[in-house]
Amino acid sequence: MLAPVRHLALSAIGRDRPGIVADISGVLLEHSANVEDSQMTILRGHFAMMLVLAVPDDADRDLLASDLDAAAQRLGLEALSLRDVGDLTELGPDPSHMVTVYGVDHPGIVHAAAIALAERDVDITDLNTRLLEEEGDSLYVLMMEVALPDGLEPDDLRRTLAGVGESEGVEVTLRELEQDAL
Amino acid sequence: MPVRPVLRYPHPALKQPARALAEGEDPTPATDDLLDTMRSHQGCVGLAAPQIDAPVRIVVVDASCHPKARDANNGLLVLVNPVVVSSEGAEVAREGCLSIPHLTANVRRATHIEVEARGTSLRSEGFEARCLLHEIDHLDGLLFLDRVDSLATDVFRRKRSSGK
């Protein structure tokens, strides 16, 4: 029988340098914390990490937290947070479509797209943005994977998103995700 | 027959569908400028009329000098009102575009296509087919960013050999 576990959410951000993952994962291993789902990447020079951990029920959560804080100090991280999260049996919906938005950078692009999706009950399952500045040009790109609710026709959503494109002066496309089975 | 500036996004002309040439309408002026402009950019293997601010359905492609197309190409192609009439296969590969000069991206395209255009029809495959599909997209106001699957894994800042 598997030992009972509970789940913690760890997130951290700091100036990128070699060794951040090595140090943090070392602390986690000492505490028998299993890294389940995680995502880590560089955002404009800052290394950002989000992890959902499974720790044994009898783990010393406070000691884990203080060991992680010590690691954050060593690594010069700007922020680190460890929180209890409940166990979820539902792992979230599967994305069915991809929304691509791009245009000249200005505040409000993400919100305009997100509120249009929320109003149609569309779930954003993955989101990335990138600001690309070069020789005075600023191109902002937003890409989202989304799950459409039952009954929402892609063409309906396409019309809604076209309105966002018009009001924000950006290009918006909605495409079905390729789901090739090989 | 001048070399014309290549429009860059966000120039609105790049997002407009281009109009078909009427029967008998002479494509020469735009075609000559397209060829001159394509040849003035080192490594450029294709260009579409909207990129030089000519809103008509003309593309030029010449993949014959490109190492990826040496064994499979149709030489210099000047296509008026091109239409992709069939496509097969799928492959993801890296593309760049003079109209989005600072990015490259992995784009999924068909590997074998048939294209019909004024006075000609042809089959193309591999790298040349990719070029044709990319250029024909321009005629519909589509840029490669409209076809990318993932910003995190498929879009890249173009490496610069010199400059800053």
Side-chain angles (χ1 to χ4, degrees), chain B residues 2 39 56 59 61 69 71 97 100 102 107 132 135 137 139 150 155 159:
Chain B
R39 287 169 178 147
V56 288
V59 303
V61 166
D71 301 328
C97 180
I100 311 177
H102 310 307
V107 182
L132 283 165
E135 302 311 336
D137 264 358
L139 305 182
S150 161
V155 178
K159 292 191 179 66

Side-chain angles (χ1 to χ4, degrees), chain A residues 44 98 100 102-104 128-135 137 139 141-143 145 169-171 173 175 178 180, chain B residues 8-10 15 90 100-103 108 141-143 145-153 155-157 160 164:
Chain A
R44 290 190 94 70
M98 169 106 209
T100 302
Y102 61 90
V104 177
N128 284 273
T129 68
R130 201 90 68 84
L131 172 60
L132 302 145
E133 294 167 301
E134 200 91 30
E135 294 166 7
D137 297 339
L139 176 64
V141 189
L142 159 64
M143 287 191 192
E145 290 183 5
V170 294
E171 321 307 325
T173 53
R175 280 181 302 141
E178 303 271 354
D180 300 339
Chain B
R8 292 181 176 191
Y9 186 83
K15 296 302 297 179
I100 311 177
H102 310 307
L103 295 184
R108 179 191 293 256
L142 292 174
L143 302 174
L145 278 176
D146 295 305
R147 296 203 181 271
V148 167
D149 285 330
S150 161
L151 182 57
T153 57
V155 178
F156 309 89
R157 290 184 172 89
R160 294 159 63 92
K164 66 179 179 184

Side-chain angles (χ1 to χ4, degrees), chain A residues 37-106:
Chain A
D37 289 4
S38 71
Q39 201 158 9
M40 311 184 199
T41 192
I42 293 174
L43 304 174
R44 290 190 94 70
H46 303 270
F47 189 73
M49 51 168 64
M50 302 176 288
L51 309 86
V52 172
L53 311 170
V55 297
D57 243 353
D58 57 359
D60 187 339
R61 185 197 178 291
D62 291 341
L63 187 59
L64 171 60
S66 67
D67 284 355
L68 284 169
D69 284 339
Q73 286 281 330
R74 277 197 298 281
L75 295 163
L77 300 186
E78 282 128 13
L80 183 144
S81 121
L82 184 70
R83 293 284 182 275
D84 289 280
V85 288
D87 287 326
L88 299 177
T89 46
E90 300 238 343
L91 295 178
D94 287 328
S96 57
H97 289 74
M98 169 106 209
V99 181
T100 302
V101 182
Y102 61 90
V104 177
D105 184 40
H106 63 273

Side-chain angles (χ1 to χ4, degrees), chain A residues 4-16:
Chain A
V5 296
R6 60 200 172 116
H7 285 93
L8 303 173
L10 169 63
S11 59
I13 189 163
R15 175 184 285 266
D16 186 50

